[in-house]
Amino acid sequence: MRVLLIEDDAVLGEAVRDYVAGLGHAVDWMQTLEDGRMAAEAVGYELVLLDLRLPAGSGLSLLKNLRRAGATVPVLILTPPDQISY
């Protein structure tokens, strides 16, 4: 499976990339919102792992734009545990 990881934190991004790659998947890791947007538009990913809090904007805005453009790729949101409300 080809996975797009959009995560600006180097430690977290490296850990997620290494773990997913260790499961046998190809992982493209982008650290900026713009690089993630360009990659998502250019490549047919089977899964996107998306950080919502990126320095140049919200990952949620990227997700909304992908959906408006007709992308149906599954997206998993990377959210720190302290940001989850039940």
Side-chain angles (χ1 to χ4, degrees):
M1 177 183 322
R2 185 121 186 231
V3 178
L4 173 60
L5 168 62
I6 305 172
E7 171 58 62
D8 63 308
D9 182 275
V11 173
L12 181 57
E14 186 175 325
V16 172
R17 180 200 60 205
D18 291 351
Y19 181 78
V20 174
L23 295 173
H25 305 292
V27 182
D28 294 334
W29 175 24
M30 303 300 154
Q31 293 182 286
T32 69
L33 189 63
E34 182 61 18
D35 287 345
R37 182 192 63 75
M38 290 189 310
E41 291 175 357
V43 178
Y45 291 100
E46 296 171 86
L47 177 66
V48 175
L49 302 173
L50 178 62
D51 181 6
L52 290 184
R53 300 157 127 215
L54 296 164
S58 168
L60 189 56
S61 66
L62 173 63
L63 177 56
K64 288 178 181 178
N65 289 336
L66 288 173
R67 293 297 185 240
R68 276 191 220 117
T72 59
V73 61
V75 176
L76 296 177
I77 304 298
L78 301 175
T79 304
D82 65 333
Q83 298 298 313
I84 298 173
S85 58
Y86 297 96

